[in-house]
Amino acid sequence: MQILDILLYIFIIVACIQVTIYLFIYGRFSFSKPTKTNLNTTPVSVIVCAKNEAENLERFLPAIIQQNYPEFELVLINDASHDNTLEVMQQFAELYDNIKIVNVKPIEAFWGNKKYALTLGIKASKHDLLLFTDADCKPVSKYWISEMVGHFNSHKSIVLGFGAHTRIKNSFFNKLIRFETLTTALRYFSFTKIGMSYMGVGRNLAYKKSLFFKVNGFIDHMHIKSGDDDLFINQVATTKNVSICFKKNSFTTSPAKTTFKEWFLQKRRHVSTAKYYKLKHKIALALIYSLQLVFWVLTLILLVTKHQWHWVIIFLSIRLMAQYITVGAASKKLNSKDLIVSIPFLEIFLISIQLFIFINNLVSKPNHWK
């Protein structure tokens, strides 16, 4: 048997596994309908941690303050900023009596550690339901709080939301960033659907304060500067305590990075936390990425050599069809329909960059939290 025959069989097996993943795992989210939410009017603490974010706070805080929800406090955490962040917070606090400011002073033991600042903010909050977003994020509607909070009940203590990035027309780089955001959301929403919640994003995330203190907060990974969102969810999520919220009124949006260097460094920080996930999650994510990489490498080899090219085209088409169906359906749910046409090209670029990030993280550690 020739080596190309062996590669063809591997290619077919990999393609079939991927089709199964797209249809029966990702499809659990892509083909699902939003669950009905409760008419929950429980008081909420919205928490925003900011470090040198004066401009973004001025721009985006009004959308949070103007939320249509009966009772909520806005906890603003100034994490040792050296710009006008604290002054901007104080200006808003003078106008609105539901704003509480937590001014975090730098201490050597937790220098540059966002988790320390967040812990102080959580302790200062007065409500059990906590809703988190970032200083550069804006809720897309005035019903953001009510949509997210509507998923809490006696069994659900965590709610995962979607944090989108602003679209820039005619920018392939912007499409790449939003495609990465889309596929990440598709993955963590789908995994939650099959009882394997492994992460959330701090741009749009909610959980109960009682759950936070039950596990002693971030104590198990306080030494890791990143991961206040994904590592915490990875630690506390079970098969039954997580709900997902993907109604369009529940989304937040934030400006996407405009330079490759900024985005690359951000992704390096995010990827560096994945090695601390539970073993089953690391295996699952590594398998998904490996299958993508192997699939496209073998596709290239087999097409260039024209070995049994008709079979290659058939299984390539089946795999792409499954991808278009599931990722396309997810993109419609998550306001990313403009990405559908470019899905294969965006995937190839993304897995190449992710490989480069992985190699870079092996060589040197990325920086964290500004």
Side-chain angles (χ1 to χ4, degrees), residues 160-171:
L160 306 181
F162 178 60
H165 288 300
T166 307
R167 178 183 176 184
I168 300 175
K169 290 184 178 181
N170 303 318
S171 170

Side-chain angles (χ1 to χ4, degrees), residues 250-280:
S250 72
F251 297 171
T252 63
T253 185
S254 60
K257 300 294 184 184
T258 55
T259 68
F260 180 80
K261 181 179 180 181
E262 285 182 317
W263 180 70
F264 184 78
L265 292 174
Q266 182 187 60
K267 290 299 105 183
R268 284 192 66 192
R269 292 193 296 269
H270 293 169
V271 170
S272 69
T273 65
K275 65 181 179 181
Y276 300 104
Y277 288 179
K278 292 174 183 176
L279 180 60
K280 62 181 179 180

Side-chain angles (χ1 to χ4, degrees), residues 35-44 69 128-130 145-160 206-211 238-245:
T35 56
K36 292 183 178 180
T37 56
N38 304 311
L39 293 175
N40 198 338
T41 57
T42 307
V44 182
Y69 196 79
D128 186 46
L129 301 188
L130 308 177
I145 296 178
S146 60
E147 290 286 3
M148 289 291 288
V149 172
H151 286 265
F152 281 112
N153 57 41
S154 58
H155 304 291
K156 304 297 184 183
S157 53
I158 301 169
V159 182
L160 306 181
Y207 50 79
K208 293 182 178 180
K209 187 177 181 178
S210 53
L211 175 65
T238 68
T239 58
K240 297 181 179 179
N241 70 349
V242 185
S243 182
I244 62 175
C245 182

Side-chain angles (χ1 to χ4, degrees), residues 100-119:
K100 179 181 293 182
I101 297 175
V102 178
N103 189 27
V104 180
K105 303 289 186 180
I107 62 173
E108 186 175 352
F110 298 106
W111 182 263
N113 194 325
K114 183 181 179 182
K115 293 174 187 173
Y116 171 67
L118 275 173
T119 300

Side-chain angles (χ1 to χ4, degrees), residues 63 67 138-145 147 248-251:
Q67 286 291 296
K138 175 184 177 181
V140 301
S141 81
K142 62 181 180 180
Y143 302 107
W144 168 59
I145 296 178
E147 290 286 3
K248 294 182 179 179
N249 280 342
S250 72
F251 297 171

Side-chain angles (χ1 to χ4, degrees), residues 14 17-18 21 286-296:
V14 168
I17 295 173
Q18 286 199 304
I21 291 172
L287 176 63
I288 287 172
Y289 176 77
S290 299
L291 289 170
Q292 286 180 300
L293 183 61
V294 170
F295 174 81
W296 285 111

Side-chain angles (χ1 to χ4, degrees), residues 320-343:
L320 288 178
M321 187 180 301
Q323 184 180 31
Y324 271 115
I325 291 172
T326 52
V327 181
S331 69
K332 292 176 182 177
K333 281 184 169 65
L334 302 178
N335 275 354
S336 304
K337 289 190 292 185
D338 64 298
L339 302 178
I340 295 176
V341 175
S342 307
I343 284 175

